[in-house]
Amino acid sequence: MSQPESAVADAQAGGPNNGTPEQGQEPLAKLAKRYGLRRAIARPSLPVYLRQLWERRHFVMTYATSRNVSKYSNSALGQLWQVLTPLFNAAIYFLMFGLILGANKNIVNYPAFLITGMFVFTYTQRSVSSGAKAISGNLSLIRALHFPRAALPLAYTIQEFQQLLISMGVLVALVLVTGEPITWYWLLIPVALALQTMFNIGASLVLARVGATARDLNQLLPFIMRTWLYASGVFYSIEDKVAGSNKALQWVADIMYFNPAAAYIELMRDLLMQTHEPRSYIWMVCVFWAVFAVVGGFWYFWRAEEKYGRG
């Protein structure tokens, strides 16, 4: 009898010494190790996992692009909705908060301030929200094919990044229309977007793992996103509304600027708007969140690789 056939026979018999544990029955895990057998779907080491993900980079890009093409295929305006949605939201917030509630006070060029905040926050909001459904919404694909599951939330973030490139062209045009000049700081916009994209990938990976088991997350996510929106200074100045003339509350404003969404919004405003006063520590906050999210997110997602699609 060959070695594989012997292993199968031993496993079916409960081990080579078939009987009770007192009679020396060999555990199946030890038996499999003795014959060199491995689990059908075993989690690879993190370096191997990252290499496998890199080898499937063309699949990730193709999957993201195909989702972009099909997302708006049934609407008359197509990809234009990617730009119209944040613009409509900005118009509503300008009316409600800028004109009626007076959030535009002490803000030079409030239209550029508001539009920049909406476009930057929308990028993170859509990336995180779609990432939360990356596993739970693709169970048939996960169960049919073997590939690094991180490819799915990564593809969803790339999909949003592709749409952002269109939005950034509109954002730059609108900022110029409002009177902001072109400065050398604009050369740093790709760096700022790269940092935000790193954070979005990490956050999407974390929520993809959570969303794979916590099915109620999709019901709670809209409320979480709305709260995050209000806390990120999209349509008001955190410095003006929180600290203002009361310097004793400056620490509260600093904590709110440590919010990653607020930090990336503040960074983009600093680059696009000459009238916006830059904050000295905002680059450090953005770099911290980018590195922490992408490293921690990959590790957290990889730890549950074997569980995705089970049950």
Side-chain angles (χ1 to χ4, degrees):
M1 183 180 294
S2 66
Q3 189 179 39
E5 292 174 344
S6 176
V8 172
D10 287 347
Q12 290 175 339
N17 299 315
N18 187 22
T20 62
E22 289 78 8
Q23 295 173 319
Q25 179 179 352
E26 187 174 9
L28 289 178
K30 187 177 180 181
L31 175 65
K33 182 178 180 180
R34 182 160 64 88
Y35 283 103
L37 303 181
R38 299 174 57 191
R39 285 176 293 174
I41 303 178
R43 183 186 67 204
S45 64
L46 188 56
V48 173
Y49 187 74
L50 293 175
R51 185 175 69 248
Q52 292 176 351
L53 192 61
W54 172 252
E55 291 171 351
R56 290 161 176 82
R57 61 191 182 277
H58 300 298
F59 162 74
V60 173
M61 294 298 300
T62 303
Y63 185 68
T65 303
S66 63
R67 282 184 55 85
N68 255 333
V69 173
S70 62
K71 185 175 182 179
Y72 300 104
S73 59
N74 294 327
S75 60
L77 298 180
Q79 295 285 339
L80 192 57
W81 280 110
Q82 170 65 18
V83 177
L84 291 178
T85 300
L87 281 179
F88 287 154
N89 288 332
I92 294 172
Y93 289 136
F94 180 80
L95 175 63
M96 294 299 299
F97 294 95
L99 299 181
I100 298 177
L101 298 179
N104 59 342
K105 293 180 180 178
N106 302 324
I107 298 178
V108 181
N109 197 354
Y110 184 72
F113 179 94
L114 176 61
I115 294 170
T116 302
M118 280 304 308
F119 274 74
V120 173
F121 182 82
T122 299
Y123 175 38
T124 293
Q125 179 189 38
R126 288 185 172 179
S127 298
V128 173
S129 298
S130 60
K133 306 173 185 177
I135 299 299
S136 60
N138 290 280
L139 291 179
S140 59
L141 179 64
I142 291 173
R143 291 167 178 167
L145 301 174
H146 179 64
F147 61 94
R149 309 314 189 196
L152 293 175
L154 181 59
Y156 278 49
T157 304
I158 292 177
Q159 174 193 353
E160 298 300 334
F161 179 76
Q162 291 174 343
Q163 295 182 349
L164 175 72
L165 296 180
I166 302 174
S167 302
M168 285 303 299
V170 177
L171 174 60
V172 168
L174 292 174
V175 169
L176 289 173
V177 168
T178 60
E180 294 291 340
I182 299 176
T183 67
W184 72 269
Y185 288 106
W186 287 34
L187 296 176
L188 296 175
I189 291 177
V191 180
L193 292 179
L195 292 174
Q196 186 182 3
T197 301
M198 291 173 63
F199 169 78
N200 290 354
I201 290 173
S204 297
L205 288 166
V206 171
L207 284 187
R209 174 176 172 177
V210 175
T213 54
R215 302 303 170 86
D216 290 336
L217 178 64
N218 291 332
Q219 306 302 322
L220 292 174
L221 205 55
F223 301 99
I224 297 174
M225 290 294 108
R226 193 173 300 118
T227 303
W228 199 10
L229 169 71
Y230 293 149
S232 300
V234 173
F235 43 80
Y236 65 92
S237 170
I238 295 177
E239 180 71 24
D240 181 61
K241 295 299 181 181
V242 176
S245 59
N246 188 356
K247 297 303 179 182
L249 295 177
Q250 183 61 47
W251 65 274
V252 179
D254 291 336
I255 290 176
M256 293 184 68
Y257 279 123
F258 193 72
N259 163 14
Y264 291 116
I265 291 172
E266 185 76 1
L267 177 60
M268 190 60 67
R269 285 170 176 162
D270 290 344
L271 299 179
L272 284 175
M273 300 174 60
Q274 191 178 45
T275 55
H276 189 71
E277 184 178 352
R279 311 189 72 80
S280 58
Y281 56 83
I282 208 66
W283 275 101
M284 293 185 293
V285 175
C286 292
V287 171
F288 166 79
W289 277 117
V291 175
F292 177 78
V294 76
V295 173
F298 265 110
W299 179 85
Y300 180 74
F301 185 90
W302 163 77
R303 291 285 296 175
E305 177 72 10
E306 298 170 318
K307 301 177 181 178
Y308 302 131
R310 298 288 183 89

